[in-house]
């Protein structure tokens, strides 16, 4: 009897220090600029893909609940690509479990498509390298390509599908850098990242942000290699502000911040002036990621928990890459 076309994989989300915002090609998710991130080991998505013999619409089950609509369609579109590569037509059942709140700027799609890429490729016995899996994950969600390699990861922008991929610049053990996430809202964001990427080029600031991004990536890479928190703090904050400036000046404008977002940003700046090593970054949402060396993470989490408007705090150190779960 033929082996079951089934595999399970896991992946972590990632937080970008230098952001991906805007594509040169929306369909292939070829980004306008390179980016750099760290995987978040404490948060995880585990996905099982089972391909059946018969053809039919794919089934998506997320945390035990069957999902229809655009989220399912996006998964099916992605799996159509994988099926095409494998020369297989059967329907897929995708069961995914995650502890990441969706749609609040915590890169849930990054972990989702990184795990899905690894599981789907394994289920159809496609023997892909880390680089090829990263390229594949990118087609599902741009930032997902950075959740495939382990630790601290750079995404080479590239100009074609074959040269737009992510690779690890340092393993998770390289630096005990923590992300303490201040959750100020758990509401699903109104405008998706995909729509935001399409709007980026309508901002007069976009072109300037893009031409200066490579230099920020180089400085950030160096700061990580040297474990230089002060340099990382300066460059990550600058880059996040740049991205939000582009969002706010797009047409129509995109505002992701809430009043509590500003309260947290100001508190972080004040604490740094007082000598606590902290820096902020934000994705496409109102929640604030506060970066700090591991030894102060507990103190930072306690302080953030006391800031008015902060509902809860999540903490994570660096994490590994996406991988198939053995025996699955
Ligand atoms: C703000 O990767 O979620 O988090 O490719 O449309 O799925 P899609 O977009 P996505 O965009 C992430 C944007 C960001 C910045 C970043 O992670 O680099």
């Amino acid at each position: 009897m033929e082996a079951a076309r089934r595999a399970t994989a896991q992946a972590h989300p990632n937080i970008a220090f230098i952001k991906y915002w805007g594509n040169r090609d929306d369909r292939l998710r070829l980004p306008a600029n390179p980016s750099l991130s760290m995987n978040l080991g404490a948060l995880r998505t585990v996905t099982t893909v089972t391909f059946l013999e018969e053809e039919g619409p794919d089934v998506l089950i997320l945390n035990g609940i069957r999902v229809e609509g655009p989220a399912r369609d996006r998964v099916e579109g992605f799996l159509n690509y994988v099926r095409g590569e494998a020369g297989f037509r059967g329907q897929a059942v995708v069961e995914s479990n995650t502890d990441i709140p969706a749609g609040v700027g915590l890169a849930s799609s990054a972990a989702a498509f990184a795990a899905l890429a690894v599981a789907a490729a394994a289920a159809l016995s496609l023997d892909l390298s880390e680089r090829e899996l990263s390229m594949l994950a990118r087609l599902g969600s741009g930032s997902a390509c950075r959740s495939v390699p382990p630790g601290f990861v750079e995404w080479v922008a590239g100009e074609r599908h074959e040269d737009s991929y992510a690779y690890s610049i340092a393993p998770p053990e390289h630096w005990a850098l923590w992300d303490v996430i201040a959750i100020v809202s758990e509401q699903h964001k109104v405008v998706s990242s995909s729509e935001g990427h399409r709007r980026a080029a309508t901002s007069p600031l976009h072109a300037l942000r893009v031409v200066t991004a490579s230099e920020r990536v180089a400085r950030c890479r160096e700061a990580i290699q040297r474990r230089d928190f002060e340099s990382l703090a300066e460059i990550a904050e600058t880059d996040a502000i740049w991205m939000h400036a582009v969002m706010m000046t797009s047409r129509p404008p995109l505002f992701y911040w809430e009043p509590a977002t500003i309260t947290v940003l100001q508190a972080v700046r004040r604490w740094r002036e007082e000598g606590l090593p902290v820096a902020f970054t934000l994705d496409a949402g109102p929640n604030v990621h506060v970066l700090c060396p591991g030894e102060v993470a507990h103190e930072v989490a306690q302080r953030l928990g006391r800031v008015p408007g902060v509902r809860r705090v999540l903490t994570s150190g660096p994490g590994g890459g996406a991988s198939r779960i053995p025996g699955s």
Side-chain angles (χ1 to χ4, degrees), residues 16 19-20 29 74 109 141-143 146 193-194 197 243 283-284:
K19 308 292 183 183
Y20 151 51
R29 291 187 158 84
R74 186 170 172 179
S109 67
S141 174
S143 56
R146 296 190 312 240
S193 296
S194 302
H197 290 299
M243 180 180 72
D283 279 347

Side-chain angles (χ1 to χ4, degrees), residues 141-159:
S141 174
S143 56
C145 76
R146 296 190 312 240
S147 281
V148 172
F152 299 84
V153 174
E154 183 172 333
W155 175 6
V156 183
E159 295 188 357

Side-chain angles (χ1 to χ4, degrees), residues 263-297:
T263 312
V264 176
L265 299 188
Q266 285 173 338
V268 169
R269 291 226 139 165
R270 200 171 55 242
W271 298 340
R272 189 155 79 246
E273 274 163 27
E274 291 163 7
L276 190 67
V278 278
F280 64 75
T281 184
L282 307 104
D283 279 347
N287 301 315
V288 184
H289 294 251
V290 181
L291 309 173
C292 63
E295 55 277 16
V296 298

